[in-house]
Amino acid sequence: MADRPAHRGVPGLHRARGRLVFSDWRQEPTTSDALQMAGWTWSGTIPWIKPASRPRKGGFKQSSEFITWGVKGSLAKDRDL
């Protein structure tokens, strides 16, 4: 699974020169700002529930991260959804 492109699940993302950036909740606002400052069009943020995570003593498991995704240019309007 590690050699599978991250954009495989997003139709048209590869042709639009899209990128996915993984971060935890603390870096998500800064990540989306940095993506836009670098000239990318921010397209959204989605949660990713990790299949395996470590418990924290005295706290909740940190079992999710966020995927901020964007494109250089725009997504094709005629792409398959």
Side-chain angles (χ1 to χ4, degrees), residues 15-56:
R15 287 188 303 278
R17 295 173 42 201
R19 294 294 178 260
L20 305 174
V21 182
F22 290 75
S23 66
D24 69 358
W25 65 272
R26 294 167 292 199
Q27 278 78 34
E28 197 280 325
T30 305
T31 302
S32 63
D33 290 347
L35 189 78
Q36 294 174 78
M37 290 179 69
W40 293 80
T41 302
W42 175 77
S43 298
T45 301
I46 56 174
W48 174 57
I49 307 303
K50 297 186 228 178
S53 61
R54 305 181 287 171
R56 275 187 17 191

Side-chain angles (χ1 to χ4, degrees), residues 51-78:
S53 61
R54 305 181 287 171
R56 275 187 17 191
K57 189 173 186 174
F60 295 102
K61 285 192 332 182
Q62 298 200 347
S63 60
S64 66
E65 289 189 14
F66 292 92
I67 303 170
T68 303
W69 68 286
V71 295
K72 276 273 197 197
S74 62
L75 288 173
K77 302 293 184 211
D78 61 345

